[in-house]
Each structure stands twice: as C-alpha cells, then as structure tokens.
Amino acid sequence: MAKCIISGFADEIADRLDEQLATLAKLNVHYMEMRNVNGRNFTDYTPAEAKEIKKQLDASGVRLSAVGSPLGKIGIEEDFGPHMDRFKRTMELAQIMETAYIRMFSFFIPDGKDPDEYKNAVLERWFQFQEYAKGSGIILLHENEKGIYGDIPRRCRTLLDAMDWDTVRGIFDPANFVQCKADTLEGFRLLEDKIVYMHIKDAIWDTGKVVPSGQGDGHLPEILGQLAGKDFCGFLSLEPHLETG
C-alpha cells in the first residue's frame, strides 16, 4: 500500500524561515524541502548557521524531506572543482539537518549542442558525486530540468542506470517534462522503478506556463493514481511556482 508524505518548497510561502514554519504549522505539514532560507540559498550557509536553523525546525516539529540544492546547475563546460567543493559542504549540511536526500541536477548543455554528446562528461561528474556520498547515508536525487543533460526521460534513465541504487535515485517533476515536450505518462513508465520522490507541479504543453496541479498536461491525477496502486513510500513535494496577488 502506498504511503506518501507531503512536503513542499516553503520558500514559496515567504523568504523568512519563521513565516515558512508558521504557515506549515497552520497547514499541519511536518516536512519541507529546503531551498532558500531568509533570502539565501541553504547551501551557502555554514555548518554553524545550519545548526541554528535545525534548532528552529526542531522547535517547530518540522523535518527536511530533502535539501533542495542547485548542485548540477552549472554549465557542463564550467570548472568543476569549486562545484565539487560546494557539493561536499552540502553533504555536511544535509547530515546536520538529518535528511536522507539532496536534490541535484545534471548540468546545463551549451545552446545548440546535442546533450547526448556530453553523456560521458556528465556521468564522470556524477560518479564523483556518488563516490563521495557512498556510505554516508545520504541519497542523491536527480531531478529532470529543462536545459540540462537529464531533461527528457531517456537521458534520465541513462544517468540513473549508470549509478548505484544505494546512492543515487530519481525525482520526477511532471511540469519540467512538459516544458521539454516529453510525455509524462511515457516518462513515468520508463522511470517509475527509479523514482522515490515526486515534485507536484504542472504545466501547459503549448506554452510551458506553470498552472495549478491537475490543470495542466502533466497527467498528475493518472500518475498519482498509479503510485497509489503500488508500494510507493516517498515524498510528494509541493512546488507550485504560482504567482498570487
């Protein structure tokens, strides 16, 4: 029987952590995917600062479903050394926050270039991530995203098949696939055995505009129905990206 846990990107509520936590309490949501905190990306915090943030979360009864990092959101031809250093720091932050997951990406491809030509370069960098994370208890989650190597299901599958299940698994973001003109039902069939985490976000096929989940072309009701019929035990992380006012 499926057991889904609701989480979400609380920085879409407000910049300030205290406002994020107050709203989560009102909604009776006990997990968050941490991306930006008090106007800064969480991966830019020091370990000492992260410990203070952890105290605030503990006092509010909130835990992290994942660190929503920007790791892998640099060009594949950019210098990797500083980015690997940021990854190592993020690993330390994730352990302080007692979360099992870090959300990551597979590098932006130069405009006009074929992403398949960069497969080996992408895998080589991800092997470095994987080797560093092995044995840590932290699982690296690859998210599909427009403009990166893993933008469509086939290339997501290539990357995930090359990695070890104990260390690397997949996030499925329907809206991002729609924006890449990839059918989400076909994509889910291809990737479902690698998916442990869902982003609940939807978009319109023709325009790419993000809309309330279930009102776009991401087939959210069908995909969630399939998850409900399986032994899926994971997070559904709300990432509405909707403007209000």
Side-chain angles (χ1 to χ4, degrees), residues 76-110:
I76 188 60
E77 296 178 340
E78 291 184 47
D79 183 9
F80 183 56
H83 205 63
M84 187 65 187
D85 290 340
R86 189 177 195 181
F87 168 74
K88 293 176 180 179
R89 183 173 69 249
T90 303
M91 286 283 297
E92 183 178 1
L93 297 179
Q95 290 170 325
I96 290 169
M97 302 305 290
E98 298 181 339
T99 182
Y101 294 137
I102 299 174
R103 181 276 302 265
M104 299 171 58
F105 302 89
S106 54
F107 303 98
F108 289 117
I109 302 302

PDB file of all heavy atoms in Angstrom, residues 76-110:
ATOM      1  N   ILE A  76      28.115  22.358 -18.219  1.00  0.00           N
ATOM      2  CA  ILE A  76      28.948  21.168 -18.222  1.00  0.00           C
ATOM      3  C   ILE A  76      30.391  21.500 -18.573  1.00  0.00           C
ATOM      4  O   ILE A  76      31.316  20.746 -18.213  1.00  0.00           O
ATOM      5  CB  ILE A  76      28.380  20.106 -19.198  1.00  0.00           C
ATOM      6  CG1 ILE A  76      29.125  18.773 -19.072  1.00  0.00           C
ATOM      7  CG2 ILE A  76      28.392  20.617 -20.634  1.00  0.00           C
ATOM      8  CD1 ILE A  76      29.072  18.137 -17.722  1.00  0.00           C
ATOM      9  N   GLU A  77      30.628  22.627 -19.233  1.00  0.00           N
ATOM     10  CA  GLU A  77      31.991  23.009 -19.599  1.00  0.00           C
ATOM     11  C   GLU A  77      32.640  23.933 -18.573  1.00  0.00           C
ATOM     12  O   GLU A  77      33.791  24.321 -18.738  1.00  0.00           O
ATOM     13  CB  GLU A  77      31.984  23.660 -20.987  1.00  0.00           C
ATOM     14  CG  GLU A  77      31.546  22.691 -22.098  1.00  0.00           C
ATOM     15  CD  GLU A  77      31.497  23.340 -23.471  1.00  0.00           C
ATOM     16  OE1 GLU A  77      31.432  24.591 -23.534  1.00  0.00           O
ATOM     17  OE2 GLU A  77      31.528  22.602 -24.475  1.00  0.00           O
ATOM     18  N   GLU A  78      31.912  24.277 -17.510  1.00  0.00           N
ATOM     19  CA  GLU A  78      32.483  25.131 -16.469  1.00  0.00           C
ATOM     20  C   GLU A  78      33.411  24.329 -15.560  1.00  0.00           C
ATOM     21  O   GLU A  78      33.334  23.098 -15.494  1.00  0.00           O
ATOM     22  CB  GLU A  78      31.371  25.773 -15.636  1.00  0.00           C
ATOM     23  CG  GLU A  78      30.541  26.805 -16.383  1.00  0.00           C
ATOM     24  CD  GLU A  78      29.514  27.467 -15.476  1.00  0.00           C
ATOM     25  OE1 GLU A  78      29.875  27.877 -14.355  1.00  0.00           O
ATOM     26  OE2 GLU A  78      28.342  27.572 -15.903  1.00  0.00           O
ATOM     27  N   ASP A  79      34.278  25.059 -14.837  1.00  0.00           N
ATOM     28  CA  ASP A  79      35.213  24.437 -13.905  1.00  0.00           C
ATOM     29  C   ASP A  79      34.434  23.668 -12.837  1.00  0.00           C
ATOM     30  O   ASP A  79      33.561  24.223 -12.162  1.00  0.00           O
ATOM     31  CB  ASP A  79      36.081  25.520 -13.268  1.00  0.00           C
ATOM     32  CG  ASP A  79      37.135  24.954 -12.328  1.00  0.00           C
ATOM     33  OD1 ASP A  79      37.314  23.720 -12.300  1.00  0.00           O
ATOM     34  OD2 ASP A  79      37.769  25.752 -11.616  1.00  0.00           O
ATOM     35  N   PHE A  80      34.765  22.400 -12.665  1.00  0.00           N
ATOM     36  CA  PHE A  80      34.013  21.546 -11.755  1.00  0.00           C
ATOM     37  C   PHE A  80      34.550  21.605 -10.326  1.00  0.00           C
ATOM     38  O   PHE A  80      33.815  21.309  -9.373  1.00  0.00           O
ATOM     39  CB  PHE A  80      34.044  20.104 -12.258  1.00  0.00           C
ATOM     40  CG  PHE A  80      33.235  19.142 -11.442  1.00  0.00           C
ATOM     41  CD1 PHE A  80      31.886  19.351 -11.219  1.00  0.00           C
ATOM     42  CD2 PHE A  80      33.824  18.005 -10.888  1.00  0.00           C
ATOM     43  CE1 PHE A  80      31.131  18.458 -10.467  1.00  0.00           C
ATOM     44  CE2 PHE A  80      33.081  17.105 -10.139  1.00  0.00           C
ATOM     45  CZ  PHE A  80      31.728  17.330  -9.921  1.00  0.00           C
ATOM     46  N   GLY A  81      35.796  21.990 -10.148  1.00  0.00           N
ATOM     47  CA  GLY A  81      36.414  21.955  -8.823  1.00  0.00           C
ATOM     48  C   GLY A  81      35.628  22.707  -7.751  1.00  0.00           C
ATOM     49  O   GLY A  81      35.290  22.129  -6.700  1.00  0.00           O
ATOM     50  N   PRO A  82      35.320  24.002  -7.962  1.00  0.00           N
ATOM     51  CA  PRO A  82      34.559  24.739  -6.948  1.00  0.00           C
ATOM     52  C   PRO A  82      33.171  24.135  -6.704  1.00  0.00           C
ATOM     53  O   PRO A  82      32.661  24.186  -5.577  1.00  0.00           O
ATOM     54  CB  PRO A  82      34.460  26.146  -7.545  1.00  0.00           C
ATOM     55  CG  PRO A  82      35.622  26.243  -8.488  1.00  0.00           C
ATOM     56  CD  PRO A  82      35.777  24.881  -9.057  1.00  0.00           C
ATOM     57  N   HIS A  83      32.584  23.571  -7.756  1.00  0.00           N
ATOM     58  CA  HIS A  83      31.258  22.984  -7.603  1.00  0.00           C
ATOM     59  C   HIS A  83      31.334  21.717  -6.756  1.00  0.00           C
ATOM     60  O   HIS A  83      30.438  21.466  -5.939  1.00  0.00           O
ATOM     61  CB  HIS A  83      30.669  22.675  -8.979  1.00  0.00           C
ATOM     62  CG  HIS A  83      29.183  22.632  -9.013  1.00  0.00           C
ATOM     63  ND1 HIS A  83      28.395  23.734  -8.737  1.00  0.00           N
ATOM     64  CD2 HIS A  83      28.321  21.621  -9.270  1.00  0.00           C
ATOM     65  CE1 HIS A  83      27.114  23.402  -8.835  1.00  0.00           C
ATOM     66  NE2 HIS A  83      27.045  22.124  -9.148  1.00  0.00           N
ATOM     67  N   MET A  84      32.375  20.940  -6.931  1.00  0.00           N
ATOM     68  CA  MET A  84      32.556  19.749  -6.103  1.00  0.00           C
ATOM     69  C   MET A  84      32.757  20.145  -4.643  1.00  0.00           C
ATOM     70  O   MET A  84      32.241  19.478  -3.733  1.00  0.00           O
ATOM     71  CB  MET A  84      33.750  18.936  -6.608  1.00  0.00           C
ATOM     72  CG  MET A  84      33.910  17.584  -5.922  1.00  0.00           C
ATOM     73  SD  MET A  84      32.528  16.454  -6.274  1.00  0.00           S
ATOM     74  CE  MET A  84      32.907  15.085  -5.190  1.00  0.00           C
ATOM     75  N   ASP A  85      33.458  21.254  -4.406  1.00  0.00           N
ATOM     76  CA  ASP A  85      33.624  21.742  -3.039  1.00  0.00           C
ATOM     77  C   ASP A  85      32.268  22.114  -2.436  1.00  0.00           C
ATOM     78  O   ASP A  85      32.004  21.843  -1.261  1.00  0.00           O
ATOM     79  CB  ASP A  85      34.554  22.954  -3.017  1.00  0.00           C
ATOM     80  CG  ASP A  85      35.995  22.596  -3.331  1.00  0.00           C
ATOM     81  OD1 ASP A  85      36.361  21.410  -3.195  1.00  0.00           O
ATOM     82  OD2 ASP A  85      36.756  23.505  -3.730  1.00  0.00           O
ATOM     83  N   ARG A  86      31.410  22.733  -3.245  1.00  0.00           N
ATOM     84  CA  ARG A  86      30.076  23.085  -2.760  1.00  0.00           C
ATOM     85  C   ARG A  86      29.265  21.827  -2.453  1.00  0.00           C
ATOM     86  O   ARG A  86      28.505  21.784  -1.480  1.00  0.00           O
ATOM     87  CB  ARG A  86      29.355  23.946  -3.801  1.00  0.00           C
ATOM     88  CG  ARG A  86      28.044  24.530  -3.299  1.00  0.00           C
ATOM     89  CD  ARG A  86      27.392  25.430  -4.340  1.00  0.00           C
ATOM     90  NE  ARG A  86      26.350  26.233  -3.740  1.00  0.00           N
ATOM     91  CZ  ARG A  86      25.596  27.092  -4.401  1.00  0.00           C
ATOM     92  NH1 ARG A  86      25.777  27.270  -5.708  1.00  0.00           N
ATOM     93  NH2 ARG A  86      24.661  27.796  -3.787  1.00  0.00           N
ATOM     94  N   PHE A  87      29.435  20.816  -3.275  1.00  0.00           N
ATOM     95  CA  PHE A  87      28.759  19.547  -3.026  1.00  0.00           C
ATOM     96  C   PHE A  87      29.195  18.959  -1.685  1.00  0.00           C
ATOM     97  O   PHE A  87      28.359  18.505  -0.887  1.00  0.00           O
ATOM     98  CB  PHE A  87      29.060  18.563  -4.155  1.00  0.00           C
ATOM     99  CG  PHE A  87      28.652  17.150  -3.865  1.00  0.00           C
ATOM    100  CD1 PHE A  87      27.311  16.782  -3.893  1.00  0.00           C
ATOM    101  CD2 PHE A  87      29.597  16.183  -3.537  1.00  0.00           C
ATOM    102  CE1 PHE A  87      26.931  15.476  -3.606  1.00  0.00           C
ATOM    103  CE2 PHE A  87      29.224  14.884  -3.260  1.00  0.00           C
ATOM    104  CZ  PHE A  87      27.879  14.530  -3.293  1.00  0.00           C
ATOM    105  N   LYS A  88      30.478  18.969  -1.411  1.00  0.00           N
ATOM    106  CA  LYS A  88      30.975  18.419  -0.146  1.00  0.00           C
ATOM    107  C   LYS A  88      30.405  19.190   1.042  1.00  0.00           C
ATOM    108  O   LYS A  88      30.029  18.582   2.063  1.00  0.00           O
ATOM    109  CB  LYS A  88      32.502  18.447  -0.130  1.00  0.00           C
ATOM    110  CG  LYS A  88      33.139  17.498  -1.141  1.00  0.00           C
ATOM    111  CD  LYS A  88      34.659  17.639  -1.153  1.00  0.00           C
ATOM    112  CE  LYS A  88      35.292  16.698  -2.172  1.00  0.00           C
ATOM    113  NZ  LYS A  88      36.775  16.861  -2.207  1.00  0.00           N
ATOM    114  N   ARG A  89      30.322  20.510   0.921  1.00  0.00           N
ATOM    115  CA  ARG A  89      29.735  21.304   2.001  1.00  0.00           C
ATOM    116  C   ARG A  89      28.256  20.974   2.165  1.00  0.00           C
ATOM    117  O   ARG A  89      27.746  20.874   3.287  1.00  0.00           O
ATOM    118  CB  ARG A  89      29.923  22.795   1.716  1.00  0.00           C
ATOM    119  CG  ARG A  89      29.390  23.695   2.841  1.00  0.00           C
ATOM    120  CD  ARG A  89      29.733  25.157   2.634  1.00  0.00           C
ATOM    121  NE  ARG A  89      29.009  25.735   1.509  1.00  0.00           N
ATOM    122  CZ  ARG A  89      29.578  26.111   0.375  1.00  0.00           C
ATOM    123  NH1 ARG A  89      30.880  25.940   0.191  1.00  0.00           N
ATOM    124  NH2 ARG A  89      28.855  26.652  -0.599  1.00  0.00           N
ATOM    125  N   THR A  90      27.559  20.777   1.052  1.00  0.00           N
ATOM    126  CA  THR A  90      26.141  20.448   1.117  1.00  0.00           C
ATOM    127  C   THR A  90      25.918  19.090   1.772  1.00  0.00           C
ATOM    128  O   THR A  90      24.941  18.885   2.505  1.00  0.00           O
ATOM    129  CB  THR A  90      25.516  20.475  -0.289  1.00  0.00           C
ATOM    130  OG1 THR A  90      25.726  21.767  -0.865  1.00  0.00           O
ATOM    131  CG2 THR A  90      24.028  20.186  -0.240  1.00  0.00           C
ATOM    132  N   MET A  91      26.816  18.155   1.522  1.00  0.00           N
ATOM    133  CA  MET A  91      26.735  16.869   2.200  1.00  0.00           C
ATOM    134  C   MET A  91      26.797  17.054   3.717  1.00  0.00           C
ATOM    135  O   MET A  91      26.015  16.434   4.463  1.00  0.00           O
ATOM    136  CB  MET A  91      27.875  15.965   1.740  1.00  0.00           C
ATOM    137  CG  MET A  91      27.718  15.401   0.344  1.00  0.00           C
ATOM    138  SD  MET A  91      26.526  14.026   0.275  1.00  0.00           S
ATOM    139  CE  MET A  91      27.330  12.824   1.328  1.00  0.00           C
ATOM    140  N   GLU A  92      27.697  17.910   4.175  1.00  0.00           N
ATOM    141  CA  GLU A  92      27.800  18.173   5.615  1.00  0.00           C
ATOM    142  C   GLU A  92      26.527  18.816   6.147  1.00  0.00           C
ATOM    143  O   GLU A  92      26.026  18.441   7.223  1.00  0.00           O
ATOM    144  CB  GLU A  92      29.008  19.069   5.898  1.00  0.00           C
ATOM    145  CG  GLU A  92      29.234  19.329   7.376  1.00  0.00           C
ATOM    146  CD  GLU A  92      30.464  20.167   7.663  1.00  0.00           C
ATOM    147  OE1 GLU A  92      31.154  20.567   6.705  1.00  0.00           O
ATOM    148  OE2 GLU A  92      30.725  20.433   8.854  1.00  0.00           O
ATOM    149  N   LEU A  93      25.966  19.751   5.392  1.00  0.00           N
ATOM    150  CA  LEU A  93      24.736  20.415   5.823  1.00  0.00           C
ATOM    151  C   LEU A  93      23.572  19.423   5.903  1.00  0.00           C
ATOM    152  O   LEU A  93      22.763  19.474   6.835  1.00  0.00           O
ATOM    153  CB  LEU A  93      24.385  21.553   4.857  1.00  0.00           C
ATOM    154  CG  LEU A  93      25.391  22.704   4.757  1.00  0.00           C
ATOM    155  CD1 LEU A  93      24.911  23.727   3.736  1.00  0.00           C
ATOM    156  CD2 LEU A  93      25.617  23.360   6.114  1.00  0.00           C
ATOM    157  N   ALA A  94      23.496  18.522   4.924  1.00  0.00           N
ATOM    158  CA  ALA A  94      22.419  17.527   4.933  1.00  0.00           C
ATOM    159  C   ALA A  94      22.510  16.638   6.167  1.00  0.00           C
ATOM    160  O   ALA A  94      21.486  16.275   6.766  1.00  0.00           O
ATOM    161  CB  ALA A  94      22.474  16.691   3.658  1.00  0.00           C
ATOM    162  N   GLN A  95      23.720  16.284   6.554  1.00  0.00           N
ATOM    163  CA  GLN A  95      23.883  15.446   7.737  1.00  0.00           C
ATOM    164  C   GLN A  95      23.494  16.199   9.001  1.00  0.00           C
ATOM    165  O   GLN A  95      22.866  15.630   9.896  1.00  0.00           O
ATOM    166  CB  GLN A  95      25.318  14.935   7.802  1.00  0.00           C
ATOM    167  CG  GLN A  95      25.608  13.899   6.711  1.00  0.00           C
ATOM    168  CD  GLN A  95      27.078  13.546   6.575  1.00  0.00           C
ATOM    169  OE1 GLN A  95      27.950  14.395   6.762  1.00  0.00           O
ATOM    170  NE2 GLN A  95      27.351  12.301   6.242  1.00  0.00           N
ATOM    171  N   ILE A  96      23.833  17.490   9.062  1.00  0.00           N
ATOM    172  CA  ILE A  96      23.417  18.308  10.209  1.00  0.00           C
ATOM    173  C   ILE A  96      21.896  18.358  10.298  1.00  0.00           C
ATOM    174  O   ILE A  96      21.312  18.259  11.384  1.00  0.00           O
ATOM    175  CB  ILE A  96      23.995  19.732  10.094  1.00  0.00           C
ATOM    176  CG1 ILE A  96      25.518  19.707  10.314  1.00  0.00           C
ATOM    177  CG2 ILE A  96      23.319  20.696  11.075  1.00  0.00           C
ATOM    178  CD1 ILE A  96      26.218  21.005   9.969  1.00  0.00           C
ATOM    179  N   MET A  97      21.244  18.477   9.143  1.00  0.00           N
ATOM    180  CA  MET A  97      19.786  18.605   9.110  1.00  0.00           C
ATOM    181  C   MET A  97      19.068  17.260   9.226  1.00  0.00           C
ATOM    182  O   MET A  97      17.843  17.206   9.258  1.00  0.00           O
ATOM    183  CB  MET A  97      19.350  19.301   7.814  1.00  0.00           C
ATOM    184  CG  MET A  97      19.951  20.690   7.616  1.00  0.00           C
ATOM    185  SD  MET A  97      19.661  21.829   8.975  1.00  0.00           S
ATOM    186  CE  MET A  97      17.900  22.111   8.810  1.00  0.00           C
ATOM    187  N   GLU A  98      19.827  16.176   9.265  1.00  0.00           N
ATOM    188  CA  GLU A  98      19.288  14.824   9.430  1.00  0.00           C
ATOM    189  C   GLU A  98      18.277  14.481   8.337  1.00  0.00           C
ATOM    190  O   GLU A  98      17.213  13.902   8.606  1.00  0.00           O
ATOM    191  CB  GLU A  98      18.672  14.655  10.824  1.00  0.00           C
ATOM    192  CG  GLU A  98      19.689  14.839  11.938  1.00  0.00           C
ATOM    193  CD  GLU A  98      19.086  14.661  13.327  1.00  0.00           C
ATOM    194  OE1 GLU A  98      17.847  14.796  13.471  1.00  0.00           O
ATOM    195  OE2 GLU A  98      19.854  14.397  14.267  1.00  0.00           O
ATOM    196  N   THR A  99      18.616  14.822   7.109  1.00  0.00           N
ATOM    197  CA  THR A  99      17.796  14.419   5.976  1.00  0.00           C
ATOM    198  C   THR A  99      18.548  13.394   5.150  1.00  0.00           C
ATOM    199  O   THR A  99      19.783  13.413   5.102  1.00  0.00           O
ATOM    200  CB  THR A  99      17.421  15.619   5.082  1.00  0.00           C
ATOM    201  OG1 THR A  99      16.582  15.164   4.011  1.00  0.00           O
ATOM    202  CG2 THR A  99      18.646  16.303   4.489  1.00  0.00           C
ATOM    203  N   ALA A 100      17.814  12.524   4.501  1.00  0.00           N
ATOM    204  CA  ALA A 100      18.445  11.457   3.713  1.00  0.00           C
ATOM    205  C   ALA A 100      18.686  11.862   2.271  1.00  0.00           C
ATOM    206  O   ALA A 100      19.371  11.144   1.544  1.00  0.00           O
ATOM    207  CB  ALA A 100      17.575  10.204   3.743  1.00  0.00           C
ATOM    208  N   TYR A 101      18.118  13.010   1.819  1.00  0.00           N
ATOM    209  CA  TYR A 101      18.118  13.324   0.397  1.00  0.00           C
ATOM    210  C   TYR A 101      18.709  14.703   0.092  1.00  0.00           C
ATOM    211  O   TYR A 101      18.467  15.672   0.812  1.00  0.00           O
ATOM    212  CB  TYR A 101      16.688  13.312  -0.152  1.00  0.00           C
ATOM    213  CG  TYR A 101      15.993  11.974  -0.154  1.00  0.00           C
ATOM    214  CD1 TYR A 101      14.663  11.860   0.250  1.00  0.00           C
ATOM    215  CD2 TYR A 101      16.638  10.818  -0.570  1.00  0.00           C
ATOM    216  CE1 TYR A 101      13.992  10.644   0.236  1.00  0.00           C
ATOM    217  CE2 TYR A 101      15.984   9.592  -0.588  1.00  0.00           C
ATOM    218  CZ  TYR A 101      14.662   9.516  -0.186  1.00  0.00           C
ATOM    219  OH  TYR A 101      14.019   8.306  -0.209  1.00  0.00           O
ATOM    220  N   ILE A 102      19.435  14.762  -1.039  1.00  0.00           N
ATOM    221  CA  ILE A 102      19.845  16.029  -1.642  1.00  0.00           C
ATOM    222  C   ILE A 102      19.344  16.040  -3.076  1.00  0.00           C
ATOM    223  O   ILE A 102      19.667  15.135  -3.860  1.00  0.00           O
ATOM    224  CB  ILE A 102      21.378  16.214  -1.631  1.00  0.00           C
ATOM    225  CG1 ILE A 102      21.920  16.210  -0.202  1.00  0.00           C
ATOM    226  CG2 ILE A 102      21.755  17.519  -2.338  1.00  0.00           C
ATOM    227  CD1 ILE A 102      23.443  16.256  -0.132  1.00  0.00           C
ATOM    228  N   ARG A 103      18.561  17.061  -3.434  1.00  0.00           N
ATOM    229  CA  ARG A 103      18.079  17.219  -4.815  1.00  0.00           C
ATOM    230  C   ARG A 103      19.195  17.851  -5.657  1.00  0.00           C
ATOM    231  O   ARG A 103      19.813  18.838  -5.268  1.00  0.00           O
ATOM    232  CB  ARG A 103      16.841  18.133  -4.807  1.00  0.00           C
ATOM    233  CG  ARG A 103      16.176  18.386  -6.164  1.00  0.00           C
ATOM    234  CD  ARG A 103      16.814  19.512  -6.963  1.00  0.00           C
ATOM    235  NE  ARG A 103      16.865  20.806  -6.327  1.00  0.00           N
ATOM    236  CZ  ARG A 103      15.958  21.771  -6.490  1.00  0.00           C
ATOM    237  NH1 ARG A 103      14.944  21.583  -7.291  1.00  0.00           N
ATOM    238  NH2 ARG A 103      16.104  22.939  -5.881  1.00  0.00           N
ATOM    239  N   MET A 104      19.429  17.274  -6.878  1.00  0.00           N
ATOM    240  CA  MET A 104      20.534  17.713  -7.725  1.00  0.00           C
ATOM    241  C   MET A 104      20.135  17.646  -9.200  1.00  0.00           C
ATOM    242  O   MET A 104      19.068  17.144  -9.542  1.00  0.00           O
ATOM    243  CB  MET A 104      21.772  16.843  -7.457  1.00  0.00           C
ATOM    244  CG  MET A 104      22.267  16.925  -6.028  1.00  0.00           C
ATOM    245  SD  MET A 104      23.565  15.719  -5.621  1.00  0.00           S
ATOM    246  CE  MET A 104      24.809  16.136  -6.825  1.00  0.00           C
ATOM    247  N   PHE A 105      21.035  18.145 -10.061  1.00  0.00           N
ATOM    248  CA  PHE A 105      20.776  18.215 -11.494  1.00  0.00           C
ATOM    249  C   PHE A 105      21.979  17.677 -12.275  1.00  0.00           C
ATOM    250  O   PHE A 105      23.016  17.349 -11.696  1.00  0.00           O
ATOM    251  CB  PHE A 105      20.478  19.662 -11.894  1.00  0.00           C
ATOM    252  CG  PHE A 105      19.311  20.255 -11.150  1.00  0.00           C
ATOM    253  CD1 PHE A 105      19.502  20.908  -9.933  1.00  0.00           C
ATOM    254  CD2 PHE A 105      18.017  20.153 -11.638  1.00  0.00           C
ATOM    255  CE1 PHE A 105      18.430  21.441  -9.226  1.00  0.00           C
ATOM    256  CE2 PHE A 105      16.943  20.679 -10.950  1.00  0.00           C
ATOM    257  CZ  PHE A 105      17.147  21.320  -9.738  1.00  0.00           C
ATOM    258  N   SER A 106      21.843  17.638 -13.611  1.00  0.00           N
ATOM    259  CA  SER A 106      22.897  17.016 -14.422  1.00  0.00           C
ATOM    260  C   SER A 106      23.488  17.962 -15.466  1.00  0.00           C
ATOM    261  O   SER A 106      23.775  17.551 -16.586  1.00  0.00           O
ATOM    262  CB  SER A 106      22.364  15.734 -15.093  1.00  0.00           C
ATOM    263  OG  SER A 106      21.189  15.979 -15.824  1.00  0.00           O
ATOM    264  N   PHE A 107      23.675  19.220 -15.095  1.00  0.00           N
ATOM    265  CA  PHE A 107      24.482  20.186 -15.813  1.00  0.00           C
ATOM    266  C   PHE A 107      23.839  20.713 -17.099  1.00  0.00           C
ATOM    267  O   PHE A 107      23.308  19.969 -17.910  1.00  0.00           O
ATOM    268  CB  PHE A 107      25.878  19.624 -16.109  1.00  0.00           C
ATOM    269  CG  PHE A 107      26.596  19.200 -14.854  1.00  0.00           C
ATOM    270  CD1 PHE A 107      26.607  17.875 -14.459  1.00  0.00           C
ATOM    271  CD2 PHE A 107      27.209  20.136 -14.047  1.00  0.00           C
ATOM    272  CE1 PHE A 107      27.241  17.475 -13.293  1.00  0.00           C
ATOM    273  CE2 PHE A 107      27.847  19.751 -12.871  1.00  0.00           C
ATOM    274  CZ  PHE A 107      27.866  18.422 -12.497  1.00  0.00           C
ATOM    275  N   PHE A 108      23.938  22.039 -17.222  1.00  0.00           N
ATOM    276  CA  PHE A 108      23.408  22.704 -18.414  1.00  0.00           C
ATOM    277  C   PHE A 108      24.278  22.403 -19.628  1.00  0.00           C
ATOM    278  O   PHE A 108      25.514  22.402 -19.555  1.00  0.00           O
ATOM    279  CB  PHE A 108      23.339  24.213 -18.200  1.00  0.00           C
ATOM    280  CG  PHE A 108      22.270  24.626 -17.224  1.00  0.00           C
ATOM    281  CD1 PHE A 108      22.606  25.251 -16.033  1.00  0.00           C
ATOM    282  CD2 PHE A 108      20.934  24.396 -17.498  1.00  0.00           C
ATOM    283  CE1 PHE A 108      21.628  25.635 -15.130  1.00  0.00           C
ATOM    284  CE2 PHE A 108      19.944  24.774 -16.599  1.00  0.00           C
ATOM    285  CZ  PHE A 108      20.292  25.395 -15.413  1.00  0.00           C
ATOM    286  N   ILE A 109      23.615  22.161 -20.746  1.00  0.00           N
ATOM    287  CA  ILE A 109      24.285  21.859 -22.008  1.00  0.00           C
ATOM    288  C   ILE A 109      24.383  23.149 -22.830  1.00  0.00           C
ATOM    289  O   ILE A 109      23.435  23.938 -22.862  1.00  0.00           O
ATOM    290  CB  ILE A 109      23.487  20.792 -22.793  1.00  0.00           C
ATOM    291  CG1 ILE A 109      23.336  19.522 -21.933  1.00  0.00           C
ATOM    292  CG2 ILE A 109      24.159  20.482 -24.119  1.00  0.00           C
ATOM    293  CD1 ILE A 109      24.620  18.893 -21.471  1.00  0.00           C
ATOM    294  N   PRO A 110      25.509  23.406 -23.520  1.00  0.00           N
ATOM    295  CA  PRO A 110      25.629  24.629 -24.321  1.00  0.00           C
ATOM    296  C   PRO A 110      24.508  24.744 -25.361  1.00  0.00           C
ATOM    297  O   PRO A 110      24.080  23.738 -25.937  1.00  0.00           O
ATOM    298  CB  PRO A 110      26.995  24.467 -24.999  1.00  0.00           C
ATOM    299  CG  PRO A 110      27.757  23.554 -24.100  1.00  0.00           C
ATOM    300  CD  PRO A 110      26.750  22.595 -23.538  1.00  0.00           C
TER     301      PRO A 110
END
